[in-house]
Amino acid sequence: MQVKVIDHPLIQHKLSLLRDKNTGSKDFRELLEEIAMLMAYELTRNLPLEETEIETPVARTRCKVLTGKKLGVVPILRAGLGMVNGVLRLIPAAKVGHVGVYRDPETLKPVEYYCKLPTDVSERDFIVIDPMLATGGSSVATIDMLKRKGAKNIKLMCLVAAPEGVHLVNEQHPDVEIYTASVDERLNDHGYIVPGLGDAGDRIFGTK
Ligand code: URA
């Protein structure tokens, strides 16, 4: 199983608060955004740097800045929205695409119902955000679609993953690195991650 579990104590502490069923939507949103920001720090660890020359108040010096590599962030609706702002706080120049996928109740196959992406997909590296990687169907469908449009370098940011979802993404897209705060035990019969945190979309938006 290829997956990077980000076990930073701040992320693990905040995730435990998110899991608690007594945590309300306001706190849930704030914690999720904070975790997303901390995870983005890890996902962007290998962004390329170049040297430039600047003048400090004391002397001229050479120092490093980002090369300006173009990035795109693609939250999968609806729970992915809860992590976008945290990522954008660290990489404000990233463009944001949105993808909506649902599972056809008869074929059980993922069906794309919404897709709005930056125009220059083939020039960008992408972070796909799927907070609850359950069966993995939505993530795989989104990555398929980004690749069809020319994306070559894609990372997947999750909050909690089920082994089933990790296996599917590994199998279908071995080049895509998965980052998560936890790989939980399993999926239950209703497709929920156990122990998980319930329906992330409902908890973010206070629905249900
Ligand atoms: N989506 C969620 O929001 N929660 C789960 O446990 C699984 C999928």
Side-chain angles (χ1 to χ4, degrees), residues 108-141:
L108 300 182
K109 294 244 161 60
V111 181
E112 184 188 301
Y113 67 87
Y114 186 80
C115 178
K116 182 78 182 175
L117 295 173
T119 47
D120 51 356
V121 169
S122 59
E123 292 165 34
R124 289 183 184 272
D125 289 354
F126 281 92
I127 298 174
V128 171
I129 305 179
D130 189 1
M132 306 301 283
L133 183 66
T135 61
S138 302
S139 286
V140 165

Side-chain angles (χ1 to χ4, degrees), residues 79 132 134 187 191-193 196-201:
M132 306 301 283
L187 288 181
Y192 280 94
I193 299 174
L197 47 76
D199 187 301

Side-chain angles (χ1 to χ4, degrees), residues 57-204:
V58 179
R60 284 195 79 76
T61 186
R62 293 193 70 74
C63 56
K64 291 179 176 132
V65 292
L66 293 168
T67 57
K69 188 172 219 358
K70 290 176 164 185
L71 293 176
V73 183
V74 179
I76 300 179
L77 301 176
R78 132 185 97 119
L81 295 176
M83 296 181 87
V84 175
N85 284 343
V87 175
L88 289 180
R89 281 173 73 180
L90 287 195
I91 33 178
K95 294 269 193 284
V96 182
H98 293 89
V99 170
V101 182
Y102 72 92
R103 200 203 300 213
D104 184 295
E106 278 170 21
T107 64
L108 300 182
K109 294 244 161 60
V111 181
E112 184 188 301
Y113 67 87
Y114 186 80
C115 178
K116 182 78 182 175
L117 295 173
T119 47
D120 51 356
V121 169
S122 59
E123 292 165 34
R124 289 183 184 272
D125 289 354
F126 281 92
I127 298 174
V128 171
I129 305 179
D130 189 1
M132 306 301 283
L133 183 66
T135 61
S138 302
S139 286
V140 165
T142 302
I143 295 165
D144 282 343
M145 189 263 301
L146 280 169
K147 286 187 175 175
R148 276 200 306 276
K149 292 181 189 289
K152 283 167 206 73
N153 195 345
I154 302 170
K155 294 184 198 300
L156 177 60
M157 177 189 276
C158 310
L159 175 66
V160 178
E164 293 88 334
V166 173
H167 285 306
L168 189 73
V169 175
N170 284 169
E171 182 191 286
Q172 300 290 312
H173 295 290
D175 57 306
V176 171
E177 289 178 343
I178 307 172
Y179 293 76
T180 186
S182 174
V183 179
D184 278 13
E185 286 164 29
R186 62 186 167 85
L187 288 181
N188 69 15
D189 294 342
H190 304 287
Y192 280 94
I193 299 174
V194 181
L197 47 76
D199 187 301
D202 282 343
R203 298 204 56 196
I204 294 166

